[in-house]
């Protein structure tokens, strides 16, 4: 059975260096998404949304693996877009005002019908109410800069500053702050958490 790991195939997008900020061109990709707002550390909405994203993504994976395509692939990592009506809330740390879209990339060979079947299966087996708020749609970022942050989320500040300085010295920022979570934070030492920090460029 063919095993596919898109993180390796798209190494330039999912395996950046922590040493330097790099510019990348991100193609239009298809994501399962969940929108919300509030403190991700305490929000039940956030926890339920992330649970639904992974439940549907893994169910779709096994449907493809056991189906006619007979493809085995690695479910992609959780990603998040972050913003606020008043961006100073990120400086002050007022997480109650944060807005977010959490998402998991879906491979092109996982068709819409499979995602809908997986959604129905998760709804039937697990009764997750958040499943009905998931949406599947293309997302375009185009030209971006990114860098790998190693360590807890609370220490991202200097890494984000490096990223912003890189962009501002060239074209200026556009779009939303984007993070890609490569580590399982339930198991890994926070000092070793790996997070890709990405931001679109004008």
């Amino acid at each position: 059975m063919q095993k596919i790991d898109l993180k390796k195939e798209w190494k330039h997008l999912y395996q950046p260096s922590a040493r330097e900020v790099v510019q990348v061109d991100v193609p239009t990709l298809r994501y399962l998404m969940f929108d919300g707002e509030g403190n991700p550390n305490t929000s039940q909405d956030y926890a339920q949304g992330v649970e639904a994203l992974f439940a549907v993504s893994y169910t779709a994976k096994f449907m493809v693996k056991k189906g006619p395509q007979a493809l085995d692939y690695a479910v992609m990592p959780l990603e998040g877009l972050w913003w606020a009506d008043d961006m100073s809330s990120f400086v002050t740390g007022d997480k109650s005002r944060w807005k977010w879209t959490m998402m998991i990339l879906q491979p092109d060979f996982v068709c819409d019908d499979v995602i809908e079947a997986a959604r129905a299966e998760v709804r039937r087996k697990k009764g997750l109410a958040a499943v009905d708020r998931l949406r599947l749609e293309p997302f375009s970022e185009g030209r971006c800069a990114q860098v790998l942050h190693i360590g807890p989320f609370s220490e991202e500040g200097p890494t984000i500053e490096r990223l912003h300085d890189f962009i501002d010295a060239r074209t200026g920022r556009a779009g939303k702050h984007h993070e890609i979570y490569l580590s399982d934070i339930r198991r890994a030492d926070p000092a070793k958490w790996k997070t890709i920090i990405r931001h679109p460029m004008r």
Side-chain angles (χ1 to χ4, degrees), residues 83-183:
W83 73 101
D85 293 332
D86 180 357
M87 292 300 286
S88 68
S89 64
F90 283 92
V91 178
T92 61
D94 184 1
K95 297 178 182 180
S96 66
R97 297 179 180 271
W98 290 7
K99 297 186 177 182
W100 35 264
T101 296
M102 305 313 295
M103 55 196 200
I104 296 178
L105 189 152
Q106 303 300 316
D108 289 340
F109 53 79
V110 180
C111 66
D112 292 11
D113 289 346
V114 169
I115 294 294
E116 286 310 308
R119 188 201 298 263
E121 181 77 355
V122 170
R123 189 186 296 116
R124 183 179 67 82
K125 280 191 170 181
K126 298 193 173 184
L128 302 182
V131 165
D132 293 324
R133 289 174 53 193
L134 300 183
R135 56 194 171 91
L136 180 68
E137 64 179 49
F139 177 59
S140 300
E141 280 185 298
R143 181 167 57 171
C144 296
Q146 67 180 28
V147 66
L148 181 66
H149 171 75
I150 300 176
F153 304 137
S154 60
E155 296 177 4
E156 285 181 356
T159 305
I160 293 172
E161 188 173 353
R162 283 172 56 209
L163 181 70
H164 288 177
D165 288 347
F166 177 93
I167 297 173
D168 294 345
R170 289 160 176 80
T171 63
R173 284 168 266 164
K176 295 171 180 172
H177 176 86
H178 185 170
E179 297 191 353
I180 302 169
Y181 308 105
L182 301 179
S183 302

